Amino acid sequence: MGKFVIRRAAQAIMVVIAATMLLFLGLFVLGDPFASTGDKVVPPATQAILREKFGMDQSVPMQYLTYLGNLFTGDLGIDLNQRRPVADMLGVALPNSARLALIAIIIDIVIGVAAGIIAAVWRYSVWDVLVTILTTLAIGLPTFVIGVWLRQTVSGFWIFPQVPRTFTELAPWYTEVLLPAFTLAIVDAAFIARLMRGSMLEVLRADYIRTARAKGLGERTVIMKHAFRNSIIPVVTYIGISIGVLLGGAIITETIFQYNGIGFLLYRSILQQNQPVIMAIVTYAVLAYVALSMIVDILYAYLDPRIRLS
């Protein structure tokens, strides 16, 4: 197990280096943020001073190496517009996105796993048909359609606030996060339910399940103790990937609800061509995704020891 963890960690480091290098090069497609464009007129002398101040007068390889060095010390650069540390901006947005991701994943697990188990145990029943129809509809709907529909129909009722809101008009955090969380959870919960149903049906046909029933074990024990653990493996993989994606910022959902998280911050930064903020957010998203993928692989190997030998 130790060798597997070391090998997986080495792979994760190489992925992070390659991904950040490609992302850093891709930022230059956005253009020079200090150049004169449209109504913005910046004198050449001022442009040169700003490029020197932010280290953009150096060669691209040197800028990348400088960024990597600063990254290890926690220095993510300075926001080009507000002249404030990018780390401070992430410090405000990151807890909001983490809270949103946590609540969305809880909804995913509770609804998706339960629906998948019910559909598999009572196969071809009314419940199975209902789960199949609802999950098919949910998977076929884009996230932005679900978000806009919830905003137009549910927003303003019960504990859900009217959106969009201004950031100075704050409501309790749980009211701000519920609608975005449900928007993110609907599609993922549908995928989890389908995965859980298919995996559970396959496990229920296994020989050891028939043996457990032949020994006189109760149906609940057979389902939860024997079938559930082996059925949950593909679901764990999907949940881990989903957490990584959500922690990286749900840009569409957060923008629809004007939720002050990583995704909404990235959206505003792209519009403003704010390269330090964009690079910091995307780097964070890569780190979160790679770290969670590594954790999922290790958990996967723990649940299925055959993975360690492959």
Side-chain angles (χ1 to χ4, degrees), residues 188-260:
D188 278 343
F191 273 112
I192 290 173
R194 299 295 289 268
L195 278 174
M196 193 68 202
R197 179 185 182 274
S199 181
M200 180 72 80
L201 286 175
E202 183 178 353
V203 170
L204 288 175
R205 290 193 293 264
D207 291 338
Y208 67 89
I209 295 296
R210 286 193 290 268
T211 302
R213 286 170 172 161
K215 289 181 178 180
L217 295 179
E219 189 66 15
R220 178 177 297 181
T221 302
V222 172
I223 297 298
M224 300 309 298
K225 185 176 180 180
H226 295 278
F228 176 74
R229 176 172 179 176
N230 293 285
S231 302
I232 200 69
I233 292 178
V235 176
V236 168
T237 303
Y238 183 82
I239 291 174
I241 295 173
S242 297
I243 294 175
V245 172
L246 292 177
L247 286 178
I251 183 170
I252 295 177
T253 301
E254 291 184 5
T255 301
I256 290 174
F257 292 97
Q258 293 192 3
Y259 184 78
N260 192 17

Side-chain angles (χ1 to χ4, degrees), residues 38 47 85 117 147 186 226 239-240 286 308 310:
Q47 293 183 32
I117 293 175
I186 287 174
H226 295 278
I239 291 174
V286 169
R308 310 173 204 170
S310 59

Side-chain angles (χ1 to χ4, degrees), residues 128-200:
D128 186 18
V129 174
L130 183 62
V131 169
T132 301
I133 293 174
L134 292 178
T135 54
T136 302
L137 289 175
I139 293 172
L141 289 175
T143 302
F144 71 88
V145 173
I146 297 173
V148 171
W149 180 77
L150 287 176
R151 179 177 131 176
Q152 297 297 331
T153 58
V154 181
S155 176
F157 291 96
W158 195 34
I159 61 173
F160 300 110
Q162 184 69 39
V163 291
R165 305 175 63 92
T166 61
F167 293 141
T168 57
E169 184 188 358
L170 297 179
W173 68 266
Y174 54 85
T175 64
E176 294 286 346
V177 78
L178 281 178
L179 275 184
F182 271 106
T183 300
L184 293 173
I186 287 174
V187 176
D188 278 343
F191 273 112
I192 290 173
R194 299 295 289 268
L195 278 174
M196 193 68 202
R197 179 185 182 274
S199 181
M200 180 72 80

Side-chain angles (χ1 to χ4, degrees), residues 16-28 30 63-64 67-68 71 76-77 86 90 266 269-270 273-287:
V16 169
I17 293 175
T20 53
M21 186 181 298
L22 292 174
L23 293 170
F24 194 85
L25 294 174
L27 277 182
F28 288 89
L30 295 177
Q63 290 185 49
Y64 175 71
Y67 181 80
L68 280 185
L71 185 63
L76 300 178
V86 176
L90 292 185
L266 178 60
S269 301
I270 291 174
Q273 294 187 6
N274 202 333
Q275 294 182 4
V277 181
I278 297 172
M279 187 63 192
I281 293 175
V282 176
T283 302
Y284 153 74
V286 169
L287 290 174

